[in-house]
Amino acid sequence: MPSRRVSYDLAESPLAPGEVAIVGAGPGDPGLLTLRALSLLEQADCLVFDRLVSREVLALASPRARRFYVGKASRCHALTQDETNALLVRLAGEGKRVVRLKGGDPYIFGRGGEEAEVLVEHGIHFRVVPGITSAQGCAAYGGFPLTHRDHAQSVTFVTGHCKGDGDLALDWTSLAVPHHTAVFYMGLANAELISRKLQDHGLPADHPVALVERGTTPEQRQVITCLGELVETIAREGLRPPTLIVVGEVVRLADTLAQPAPKEAIFAEGETLELVRERIAL
């Protein structure tokens, strides 16, 4: 039976020439991509994508789509944010159907709001598709919930570095409380500060911490440690970005609720969802 393109099956208007879709690609596993995101990927003339978008997700786009890498790492940017903004405006002005693809969710530490503001300023129509953010994906695949009635009644997502590498000024008092989970994105460079401040504000040195590197991908690596040994653990294990730092009692459940390691999924260039389903279990 011939396969159908997913974009025809969703009750959503097609991506128009000159329109930009700001799309969350999820934390890495292509099976966590939403159907809306897949539909828009299939329609895109141009992909503007970040460093954390997996190659398997990129392969689901049309092979005819032009690809623009705008990845950012600490002090190493393919394009500055202003240059990325200008690229989106230029491509839309040329009448291209643009998908701005971001790892995780575009509105959670993804600068999606900044880019949307620029599009509004230039009168460019856009839509936003949420994605599973890294905290959700890494916690689920790491074998611990972010909230639990017995261990954590609240969760906070925190940026581990500030704009322009400024000082990390956070409300440490509200983060250093029991029965709470704090997830630090991009926090490796400030791990010593995070450990010290949380202990200074009341958390014990043996408070549990999970470090999840490249979560939800076949390269996922997880290390369980504690606040007092956080810096030493990062150095000993040689952990590198992207690594989430998860602080909270829920981490103790990781052994009990551990999940199998993610399997590698190979997507052929431009493959439709129906063909993918014939080869792997999504």
Side-chain angles (χ1 to χ4, degrees), residues 20-23 48-50 70 72 79-89 98-102 106-107 110-122 124-126 128:
V20 177
I22 301 174
V23 176
V48 180
F49 64 96
D50 283 347
V70 296
K72 297 176 179 63
L79 294 180
T80 66
Q81 187 61 55
D82 286 343
E83 290 171 334
T84 298
N85 296 343
L87 175 62
L88 295 174
V89 171
V98 182
V99 168
R100 174 65 170 109
L101 200 58
K102 293 175 172 289
Y107 277 3
R111 304 188 186 183
E114 298 173 37
E115 293 173 4
E117 287 179 308
V118 170
L119 296 175
V120 169
E121 290 171 6
H122 288 82
I124 296 170
H125 184 65
F126 73 96
V128 179

Side-chain angles (χ1 to χ4, degrees), residues 27-183:
D29 183 345
L32 299 180
L33 198 70
T34 67
L35 290 177
R36 283 193 69 199
L38 179 59
S39 171
L40 293 168
L41 274 174
E42 292 184 336
Q43 300 175 53
D45 297 318
C46 299
L47 295 180
V48 180
F49 64 96
D50 283 347
R51 181 173 62 95
L52 300 182
V53 177
S54 69
R55 64 183 184 276
E56 292 85 1
V57 170
L58 288 172
L60 289 169
S62 167
R64 298 180 298 276
R66 294 179 64 192
R67 286 157 167 77
F68 298 86
Y69 174 69
V70 296
K72 297 176 179 63
S74 180
R75 300 181 180 87
C76 181
H77 296 178
L79 294 180
T80 66
Q81 187 61 55
D82 286 343
E83 290 171 334
T84 298
N85 296 343
L87 175 62
L88 295 174
V89 171
R90 176 173 68 81
L91 293 174
E94 294 172 355
K96 305 299 184 184
R97 297 175 298 174
V98 182
V99 168
R100 174 65 170 109
L101 200 58
K102 293 175 172 289
D105 180 273
Y107 277 3
I108 298 181
F109 304 126
R111 304 188 186 183
E114 298 173 37
E115 293 173 4
E117 287 179 308
V118 170
L119 296 175
V120 169
E121 290 171 6
H122 288 82
I124 296 170
H125 184 65
F126 73 96
R127 67 184 79 176
V128 179
V129 178
I132 294 176
T133 189
S134 299
Q136 297 168 304
C138 291
Y141 281 49
F144 54 89
L146 292 175
T147 63
H148 188 290
R149 288 194 298 174
D150 296 329
H151 304 287
Q153 287 77 53
S154 59
V155 59
T156 304
F157 297 163
V158 189
T159 178
H161 82 275
C162 292
K163 187 175 182 179
D165 294 322
D167 293 334
L168 189 62
L170 301 174
D171 184 357
W172 298 104
T173 300
S174 66
L175 294 174
V177 293
H179 307 296
H180 176 79
T181 305
V183 184

Side-chain angles (χ1 to χ4, degrees), residues 179-193:
H179 307 296
H180 176 79
T181 305
V183 184
F184 291 86
Y185 288 65
M186 304 163 287
L188 285 186
N190 281 313
E192 189 280 330
L193 176 67

Side-chain angles (χ1 to χ4, degrees), residues 181-265:
T181 305
V183 184
F184 291 86
Y185 288 65
M186 304 163 287
L188 285 186
N190 281 313
E192 189 280 330
L193 176 67
I194 292 169
S195 172
R196 174 166 47 84
K197 286 290 190 179
L198 290 178
Q199 291 181 76
D200 288 348
H201 285 78
L203 289 183
D206 64 354
H207 199 67
V209 179
L211 296 156
V212 188
E213 181 184 73
R214 301 194 66 83
T216 80
T217 74
E219 294 79 33
Q220 176 176 311
R221 186 159 61 116
Q222 178 168 295
V223 181
I224 305 299
T225 184
C226 61
L227 276 179
E229 300 177 7
L230 178 60
V231 175
E232 176 186 346
T233 301
I234 292 170
R236 182 183 67 246
E237 299 293 335
L239 293 165
R240 296 289 182 267
T243 296
L244 279 188
I245 301 174
V246 184
V247 181
E249 291 97 334
V250 292
V251 168
R252 301 188 196 277
L253 297 173
D255 289 339
T256 305
L257 305 178
Q259 299 290 298
K263 296 180 179 180
E264 185 170 7

